[in-house]
Amino acid sequence: MNVRYKLASMLAVAILIIVIATSFPAVASDDTEMALVGGTVYASPSAEPLPNAIVLASGGKIIAVGKRGDVAIPKSARVVDCAGKVVVAGFWNSHIHFETGWENAANIPAAQLEQHVQEMLTRWGFTTVWDLGSLPSNTLTIRQRVESREIPGPKILMAGDIFPKNGHPVYLPPEMQLPEAATPDEASQMARNYLQMGLDGIKLFTGAYMGNKPVVNMDTAIVKAAVDVAHAQGRRVFAHPQNRVGVDNALAGGVDILAHTIPSEPGYTEVELSRMKQQHTALIPTLTLWTTVVQDPAIANQLVQSGVDELKAYFSQGGTILFGTDVGFISKYDTTQEFEFMGRAMEWRDILASLTTNPSNFFHADMNGRVEKGMDADLVVLDADPSADVRNFAKVAYTIRRGRIIYSK
Ligand SMILES: [Zn+2]
């Protein structure tokens, strides 16, 4: 190596150090030690409560969980008083969109972007979210701004949308260019492109809502083509079903997750339920969504109850439920109502599973979803106990991702 080259490379290293130093402002480090002290810990949905506990995090991981007195708090640790509060694993919202109000994310000032992330996601405890279809480049920009630590936020996963031919849903602006697949080959190509550009999964509109006109469904062969590409790369496929045919084609094509219930139909059939169970299909209820799709509150209530009944039917057969609200498409950010609706079909522990262990298992995030030594320090501190009232899942005091507070009340 000649001297000039050596000097140049030293300079490059020096610049790199400056760039790294300036792009990780404030405390913002995974290595910060944190001690959550005095709260009641629910380590997992099946665990007994551990009162007056200490959760110790370091390097982005949980390094100890135990009773106060059994766990020593290092002097260097940041202590968070959790007396009277409840500590659970960080929540997943497996159905969101960075859509309304998130346009042109590259040019949104950091403070504004941070505030929006907080209002929609972190103040409700979300440490991991699935964007089920928005403008991919825009969501990837938000993800980049979060991962660079410019903005405190959740882990963002994203699925790329594929629509059936002539299936442009009436609720999306007509000028919006949508990827419509007319053939299995086109669907394969679209799926490959999405995964190539760094997306994490695929979302198929197996039914597209056309207003007064009939729903446009996606053929099973097209569903299967996209599913095969995703599965070959170890990726999951979501479906927006809209009606019964949309559910049946999704199941026949091997889709992994139904991203909504189908409240306009009179429930799933026994055949559908047993097929969902057999294929380990997961269901995202999105019950709050059904309060927003019609004007008449009486009809909205009927739709919600129909969704609750479908949730109950699948859950009672042992089906996997993933929490998800379609927030970012709907503007109701508050999760209280979703918990209340889910509580009509499930116990609080099952709702906790839908927020934590079910998605971490389903998406193979093996070190996520429980408050145990060695797991990711993704945590939610609640102001009130969800075992007393499921709506308390929405009363978030702190949201912590990889040992770093990303929201505090
Ligand atoms: Zn959606």
Side-chain angles (χ1 to χ4, degrees):
M1 185 186 283
N2 69 40
V3 173
R4 182 174 299 194
Y5 182 76
K6 195 173 179 184
L7 278 174
S9 62
M10 281 170 71
L11 186 64
V13 169
I15 290 169
L16 188 65
I17 289 168
I18 292 164
V19 168
I20 290 171
T22 51
S23 56
F24 288 74
V27 232
S29 168
D30 274 346
D31 346 327
T32 316
E33 290 175 312
M34 177 187 288
L36 305 180
V37 178
T40 296
V41 172
Y42 291 106
S44 74
S46 58
E48 289 304 313
L50 181 65
N52 200 9
I54 291 177
V55 178
L56 209 57
S58 180
K61 294 282 177 186
I62 296 168
I63 58 167
V65 182
K67 272 205 159 309
R68 200 206 285 254
D70 294 350
V71 176
I73 303 172
K75 279 208 169 61
S76 54
R78 173 178 183 176
V79 172
V80 179
D81 179 14
C82 294
K85 303 188 195 303
V86 167
V87 182
V88 291
F91 295 163
W92 291 57
N93 190 331
S94 298
H95 190 154
I96 73 144
H97 297 273
F98 287 109
E99 213 165 271
T100 312
W102 296 92
E103 299 83 2
N104 208 1
N107 297 323
I108 302 174
Q112 194 184 324
L113 190 60
E114 177 177 346
Q115 192 189 343
H116 202 178
V117 168
Q118 203 169 94
E119 283 169 0
M120 188 167 98
L121 301 169
T122 52
R123 73 150 292 184
W124 308 107
F126 298 118
T127 54
T128 309
V129 296
W130 262 105
D131 181 343
L132 298 193
S134 304
L135 187 61
S137 58
N138 199 56
T139 294
L140 291 174
T141 297
I142 298 169
R143 169 151 92 187
Q144 192 274 326
R145 293 184 72 177
V146 169
E147 292 309 311
S148 73
R149 299 280 177 84
E150 186 198 353
I151 308 288
K155 182 180 175 70
I156 297 167
L157 301 165
M158 187 181 183
D161 281 335
I162 303 177
F163 294 82
K165 189 73 189 163
N166 301 320
H168 190 123
V170 287
Y171 51 78
L172 293 179
E175 68 278 9
M176 198 184 261
Q177 291 292 315
L178 299 179
E180 299 179 6
T183 66
D185 281 349
E186 283 182 18
S188 304
Q189 194 53 52
M190 287 171 184
R192 269 194 292 272
N193 290 348
Y194 279 135
L195 300 179
Q196 176 80 32
M197 70 188 290
L199 302 194
D200 308 283
I202 302 297
K203 152 100 171 283
L204 303 175
F205 279 75
T206 60
Y209 179 65
M210 309 303 288
N212 297 328
K213 298 187 192 132
V215 169
V216 174
N217 290 109
M218 181 178 277
D219 289 345
T220 299
I222 294 177
V223 176
K224 192 170 181 309
V227 166
D228 286 347
V229 168
H231 285 181
Q233 298 189 37
R235 299 302 189 175
R236 296 293 206 174
V237 181
F238 300 78
H240 170 114
Q242 199 64 43
N243 60 11
R244 184 177 306 292
V245 177
V247 168
D248 294 347
N249 291 4
L251 294 175
V255 154
D256 303 291
I257 303 127
L258 297 172
H260 299 284
T261 41
I262 44 163
S264 58
E265 300 279 4
Y268 301 116
T269 65
E270 284 307 314
V271 173
E272 285 162 347
L273 287 169
S274 70
R275 187 157 201 186
M276 286 158 69
K277 188 74 207 308
Q278 188 210 333
Q279 295 182 190
H280 305 290
T281 314
L283 175 65
I284 303 175
T286 65
L287 301 169
T288 305
L289 173 64
W290 311 133
T291 67
T292 69
V293 293
V294 285
Q295 296 289 324
D296 184 338
I299 297 174
N301 284 340
Q302 284 171 17
L303 287 174
V304 168
Q305 193 53 45
S306 174
V308 167
D309 292 343
E310 288 169 352
L311 169 61
K312 199 170 189 172
Y314 190 44
F315 174 71
S316 66
Q317 298 209 0
T320 298
I321 310 301
L322 305 178
F323 182 88
T325 52
D326 215 354
V327 70
F329 172 69
I330 64 168
S331 53
K332 276 189 189 178
Y333 291 174
D334 189 334
T335 52
T336 309
Q337 198 173 41
E338 188 71 14
F339 292 125
E340 186 194 330
F341 292 152
M342 290 176 85
R344 297 182 192 174
M346 306 161 77
E347 298 292 329
W348 76 273
R349 287 180 184 278
D350 307 313
I351 297 174
L352 179 59
S354 79
L355 288 158
T356 58
T357 46
N358 289 355
S360 63
N361 289 336
F362 201 83
F363 298 111
H364 307 300
D366 298 335
M367 301 314 287
N368 199 282
R370 299 191 306 280
V371 188
E372 291 170 6
K373 186 180 172 180
M375 303 291 282
D376 293 337
D378 283 8
L379 301 159
V380 177
V381 180
L382 298 170
D383 273 328
D385 194 331
S387 72
D389 184 335
V390 293
R391 289 173 295 188
N392 290 341
F393 278 120
K395 295 184 179 157
V396 173
Y398 299 99
T399 304
I400 297 159
R401 180 179 169 211
R402 304 295 193 269
R404 182 181 167 224
I405 295 177
I406 57 172
Y407 166 77
S408 76
K409 198 171 76 177

